[in-house]
Amino acid sequence: MSVTVRVPAKVNVQLAVGGARPDGFHDLANVFLAVGLYDEVTATPADELRITCEGPDAGQVPLDRTNLAARAAIALAARHGLAPDVHLHIAKDIPVAGGMAGGSADAAGALLACDTLWGTNAARDELLDICAELGSDVPFSLVGGAALGTGRGERLRALEVGGTFHWVFAVADGGLSTPAVYGEFDRLSEGVRVPEPVASQELLDALAKGDAAALAATVSNDLQPAALSLFPSLTDTLDAGRAAGALAALVSGSGPTTAFLTRDAEAAGAVAQALLASGTCRTARVAPSPAPGATVL
Ligand code: ATP
């Protein structure tokens, strides 16, 4: 018997970053939106923990116990006195190291798949606790939809979304390490007073109304200057998407994937074509939002 779980990628429509805390982390006001690009994690009983991965970026995914999916299985097994003897197969469609929480998605997917396979029936709160231990973005991968994350981003409040938003994601050649981008953020903000991160009410209203133009006017990402400083050619990608009619263009999370909000599905197709033709990205993917969280298929 096997259990397969489908898990979405995310885009941050607002990523407000506070100054570095004494523990090195940053307080965030992080508005997550799950988007319709998915990984699938399949859990099958095995003699020992084993990870396999397929997909265009599979070569960049670690297949040892550092894989976030493996860490999720180990964490759940430890809490229930089980051995994590499971084969986890990841069908990877979310860009790796792209700022779209692909590893976090696999962690949430593996957790739900193992919980179902092993019959551990963990309560939702226990699953969310394990997710928060694994990483700041992991709880959101489990719940999906839209949510405001505070603290390190792991304390979530579900948000209302009043319609479908159509996105294009331009996948860059190469990745950016999230810690390196935060390091660059700290370097760029040296000597500057970084304000407390707060969610924008205009942005939350735009989400609730399903109003793409209003959302486009309010999206923001405080990590964008740092990502552009480390990966300057992303400016060309952002310009190409804007020129093709995107309502908004921004770096997704810590990048280097760039995200383009469009008026409707047709406009998304046109922006994707133009981005591909511009030669400023490796590939361009269209995806609607919001998308559901981790789901057993
Ligand atoms: P985020 O948006 O949460 O900052 P990301 O999308 O930028 O993350 P990931 O794709 O999650 O980045 O991967 C970051 C690094 O984590 C990879 O370079 C890889 O070494 C490691 N990693 C561990 N587990 C996984 C996994 N299941 N899938 C992809 N990468 C993983």
Side-chain angles (χ1 to χ4, degrees):
M1 177 203 151
S2 303
V3 177
T4 298
V5 172
R6 193 177 78 154
V7 214
K10 59 87 188 166
V11 63
N12 307 86
V13 283
Q14 183 184 3
L15 183 46
V17 182
R21 311 190 308 201
D23 65 4
F25 286 105
H26 296 75
D27 279 320
L28 305 176
N30 195 347
V31 182
F32 294 103
L33 191 57
V35 301
L37 286 182
Y38 301 95
D39 282 357
E40 285 182 11
V41 182
T42 299
T44 311
D47 291 339
E48 57 181 0
L49 179 59
R50 195 160 78 89
I51 307 282
T52 52
C53 184
E54 67 175 89
D57 290 350
Q60 298 167 51
V61 175
L63 300 179
D64 58 13
R65 289 177 174 232
T66 64
N67 189 298
L68 277 171
R71 292 183 47 211
I74 292 167
L76 180 69
R79 284 189 177 225
H80 291 268
L82 301 171
D85 295 336
V86 66
H87 172 204
L88 296 170
H89 180 70
I90 303 168
K92 194 149 208 41
D93 199 33
I94 304 175
V96 174
M100 298 191 76
S104 302
D106 299 342
L111 190 60
L112 187 57
C114 290
D115 185 48
T116 309
L117 182 71
W118 296 337
T120 34
N121 290 323
R124 194 75 171 166
D125 280 351
E126 182 185 348
L127 291 179
L128 285 170
D129 280 350
I130 300 174
C131 287
E133 285 167 16
L134 294 168
S136 310
D137 288 350
V138 184
F140 179 71
S141 300
L142 188 73
V143 302
L148 170 62
T150 50
R152 281 191 285 142
E154 81 288 4
R155 281 202 304 268
L156 293 180
R157 171 160 74 82
L159 296 173
E160 193 192 330
V161 183
T164 304
F165 295 103
H166 297 272
W167 293 89
V168 181
F169 295 96
V171 181
D173 241 330
L176 273 176
S177 124
T178 305
V181 175
Y182 274 100
E184 184 68 358
F185 173 89
D186 291 338
R187 195 184 68 79
L188 293 176
S189 47
E190 245 169 63
V192 179
R193 206 195 69 82
V194 179
E196 286 296 302
V198 229
S200 147
Q201 191 55 49
E202 290 80 16
L203 181 130
L204 301 185
D205 291 345
L207 275 180
K209 283 197 202 115
D211 183 335
L215 182 62
T218 49
V219 291
S220 67
N221 179 0
D222 287 355
L223 291 182
Q224 182 155 318
L228 293 179
S229 162
L230 297 177
F231 209 130
S233 64
L234 294 181
T235 309
D236 300 333
T237 322
L238 293 171
D239 288 346
R242 282 192 201 100
L247 300 175
L250 76 163
V251 170
S252 176
S254 55
T257 302
T258 41
F260 302 87
L261 180 59
T262 61
R263 208 173 41 252
D264 52 27
E266 196 184 332
V271 169
Q273 286 294 328
L275 280 165
L276 276 175
S278 75
T280 61
C281 58
R282 178 155 61 90
T283 181
R285 306 285 306 274
V286 166
S289 68
T295 308
V296 178
L297 297 182

